[in-house]
């Protein structure tokens, strides 16, 4: 399909192809790709440019910490600037590289996705859904505490899914996730980033929709 696509492994579903457009060119990726991984698989190295010198910028990381590969999403939703590493590939995705500063949608066109603020009071907030975070959240629930667990990825489990330990950890991760999702004391937020810790234990969390 593409010059850099591995034949197996990873989180992608190679039976489900998804067309998308980037910088006016049509490409194809798989369900489970991020925009960044789909671009790399298609041989696209340059995603954006630096805001001052216009130097080429490519993908440097695999998550929310991405410092260079910023894009603008214009369909099927609108996001004026976001890391390509956090954009999950979906049908009809249209994106373009963005240099440093986002632009407001033309004619004030709003995004079809709504931002709904919510307030929650819990005994424990767990940031990170790897093995340690899952275990901590489960132990808190079993102690009768109200818990929110947030993780930036759509798939919980953390680094074991990217290493040789995957098979040994899969069952443990699945059991922990099931325990949390069936518990009325727990809320699991995927695609969510804790943005800051403020006075009196106040934490702002941004949950992205798909």
């Amino acid at each position: 399909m593409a010059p850099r696509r591995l034949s197996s492994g990873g989180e992608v579903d190679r039976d489900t192809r998804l067309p998308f457009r980037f910088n006016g060119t049509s490409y194809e990726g798989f369900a489970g790709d991020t925009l960044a991984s789909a671009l790399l698989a298609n041989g696209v190295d340059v995603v954006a440019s630096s805001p001052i010198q216009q130097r080429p910028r490519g993908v440097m990381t695999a998550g929310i910490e991405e410092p260079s590969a910023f894009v603008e999403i214009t369909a099927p939703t609108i996001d004026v600037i976001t890391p390509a590493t956090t954009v999950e590939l979906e049908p009809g995705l249209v994106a373009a590289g963005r240099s440093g500063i986002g632009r407001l949608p033309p004619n004030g066109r709003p995004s079809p996705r709504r931002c709904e603020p919510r307030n929650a009071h819990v005994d424990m907030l767990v940031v990170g859904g790897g093995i340690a975070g899952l275990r901590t959240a489960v132990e808190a629930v079993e102690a009768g505490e109200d818990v929110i667990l947030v993780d930036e990825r759509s798939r919980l489990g953390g680094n074991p899914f990217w290493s040789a330990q995957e098979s040994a950890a899969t069952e443990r991760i699945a059991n922990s996730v099931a325990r949390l999702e069936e518990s009325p004391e727990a809320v699991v937020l995927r695609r969510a980033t804790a943005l800051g810790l403020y006075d009196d234990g106040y934490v702002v969390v941004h949950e992205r929709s798909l």
Side-chain angles (χ1 to χ4, degrees), residues 21-68:
R21 290 181 63 80
F22 181 74
N23 283 347
T25 301
S26 296
Y27 298 99
E28 192 175 67
F30 291 127
D33 265 323
T34 63
L35 177 57
S37 66
L39 288 173
L40 290 173
N42 279 280
V44 179
D45 291 321
V46 177
V47 176
S49 58
S50 63
I52 305 300
Q53 299 293 334
Q54 299 299 302
R55 297 187 178 99
R57 294 279 179 87
V59 178
M60 303 295 291
T61 70
I64 192 68
E65 68 278 5
E66 173 59 40
S68 298

Side-chain angles (χ1 to χ4, degrees), residues 137-202:
V138 168
E139 290 179 355
V141 165
E142 291 176 345
E145 296 183 340
D146 293 326
V147 177
I148 292 179
L149 181 142
V150 304
D151 191 89
E152 67 179 15
R153 296 176 178 173
S154 60
R155 180 180 183 181
L156 300 177
N159 291 332
F161 280 117
W162 304 90
S163 71
Q165 303 172 6
E166 177 175 351
S167 59
T170 298
E171 183 177 357
R172 191 188 330 166
I173 291 169
N175 290 339
S176 295
V177 172
R179 176 70 179 89
L180 293 174
E181 291 183 334
E182 70 185 12
S183 171
E185 290 83 18
V187 174
V188 177
L189 301 180
R190 294 174 170 84
R191 305 182 184 92
T193 303
L195 301 177
L197 172 62
Y198 303 96
D199 293 342
D200 301 319
Y202 181 76

Side-chain angles (χ1 to χ4, degrees), residues 82-137:
T82 190
T85 50
T86 65
V87 178
E88 295 180 47
L89 213 60
E90 58 181 315
L93 180 69
V94 179
R98 186 55 56 224
S99 176
I101 301 175
R103 301 182 301 179
L104 292 175
N107 302 320
R109 182 164 64 97
S111 171
R113 293 174 181 166
R114 297 179 59 85
C115 296
E116 299 181 357
R118 292 185 293 170
N119 293 315
H121 300 271
V122 294
D123 299 307
M124 179 180 292
L125 172 69
V126 179
V127 179
I131 289 180
L134 288 170
R135 186 65 248 168
T136 299

